[in-house]
Amino acid sequence: MSIKRPVRGIFFDLGWTVFRPASGDWRVTAKALEYINPQVLGLIPQDKMNTAVSAASAYPGNEMFRTEAEELAGYTFYYRKLAEMLPEIKVTKDQAEAIAYDRVYNDSNYVFFDDVKQTLEALKGKYSLGVISDTDPSIIRILKNAGIYPYFDHMTLSYELGIHKPSPGMYRHALAAMNLPAAETVFIDDYEKNLEAASAMGIQPILILSRPDSQASTKYHSIKKLSDLQLIL
């Protein structure tokens, strides 16, 4: 599981690699918890919850927002539908809209890991740095406001391509943008299935153990935090 040199390019996932959700959940945000009692949420049968989430996610183009306005419309549909199908949570239409607006426009929903900026600063110039992420249009604003955006040379974002990891198209796009042999690149992600797809393209995979339920991989090199990269490259 050692990293083969030379490494000239590094691809980063974003969620749970560069930042984490402030509330611990991407969609049950701090704003949502202002209106929803977590204990009530926890008492909802799992099958009922799954049905509601599935219906809420059925907004046309829900996974392919092109603009922040489309993103807001999609999340507004999402939270309104949850409120409709889960009356136990007692969320009104106005509250659902407020949750959606906060989800899209409140940068504090994203907490950047403490070592991210320092690590990117150390890597910039030594390596070509890219992103491979399933994300929404608002991420560009969030990265810019956090001062992180300029560190990346290339970005492969699901909402721009209309596909998601582990689709091979995501990795082909990233490699073409970086213009390096796959064997001379690494990809850091928090899910093994995404690393498997990258590995199949020849990219060297690294699992980051940042999620609370993370477990070290028996297949791929694992790091606990992003700054650990400097110890293995």
Side-chain angles (χ1 to χ4, degrees):
M1 293 188 291
S2 61
I3 301 300
K4 297 180 181 178
R5 296 176 176 81
V7 172
R8 297 167 59 199
I10 305 172
F11 297 114
F12 299 84
D13 177 35
L14 291 176
W16 287 111
T17 299
V18 171
F19 50 67
R20 62 175 176 82
S23 67
D25 190 293
W26 296 114
R27 299 207 172 187
V28 183
T29 60
K31 174 61 81 172
L33 292 173
E34 289 181 15
Y35 305 117
I36 303 171
N37 185 329
Q39 292 181 331
V40 172
L41 204 61
L43 292 174
I44 298 174
Q46 192 60 52
D47 58 344
K48 183 176 183 179
M49 177 64 75
N50 292 343
T51 299
V53 169
S54 179
S57 301
Y59 179 76
N62 189 41
E63 299 298 333
M64 298 184 188
F65 307 132
R66 303 298 182 182
T67 65
E68 288 187 4
E70 290 183 7
E71 186 179 341
L72 177 59
Y75 280 113
T76 298
F77 175 90
Y78 179 86
Y79 292 111
R80 280 180 180 172
K81 181 61 70 172
L82 285 185
E84 173 190 326
M85 298 189 67
L86 302 172
E88 316 83 317
I89 65 176
K90 298 180 180 179
V91 169
T92 68
K93 178 181 175 182
D94 287 346
Q95 290 170 342
E97 292 173 359
I99 295 169
Y101 188 89
D102 179 86
R103 174 64 180 80
V104 176
Y105 292 106
N106 184 358
D107 289 8
S108 66
N109 286 317
Y110 298 78
V111 176
F112 287 79
F113 291 110
D114 292 340
D115 62 343
V116 166
K117 187 170 286 189
Q118 177 184 353
T119 301
L120 293 176
E121 181 72 34
L123 298 174
K124 183 71 173 176
K126 298 179 182 178
Y127 305 92
S128 183
L129 306 182
V131 167
I132 305 176
S133 180
D134 293 338
T135 190
D136 295 322
S138 59
I139 198 59
I140 299 299
R141 183 199 75 240
I142 292 161
L143 292 173
K144 287 181 176 179
N145 288 347
I148 299 297
Y149 185 83
Y151 290 107
F152 297 112
D153 303 299
H154 316 283
M155 290 202 174
T156 294
L157 306 174
S158 59
Y159 77 88
E160 292 185 335
L161 298 184
I163 54 177
H164 299 85
K165 295 179 294 185
S167 170
M170 290 285 283
Y171 307 99
R172 280 196 292 266
H173 179 277
L175 288 169
M178 194 167 281
N179 194 28
L180 286 175
E184 295 183 7
T185 68
V186 298
F187 175 45
I188 303 97
D189 197 282
D190 57 310
Y191 281 106
E192 283 201 25
K193 66 177 182 180
N194 295 331
L195 295 176
E196 289 172 3
S199 180
M201 302 290 290
I203 301 169
Q204 299 190 71
I206 299 174
L207 180 69
I208 188 163
L209 305 174
S210 51
R211 284 183 291 108
D213 60 345
S214 294
Q215 294 184 345
S217 174
T218 58
K219 298 169 60 177
Y220 305 125
H221 201 103
S222 299
I223 58 176
K224 292 184 178 180
K225 56 186 184 298
L226 209 57
S227 54
D228 289 344
L229 274 177
Q230 298 174 77
L231 304 176
I232 63 174
L233 293 179

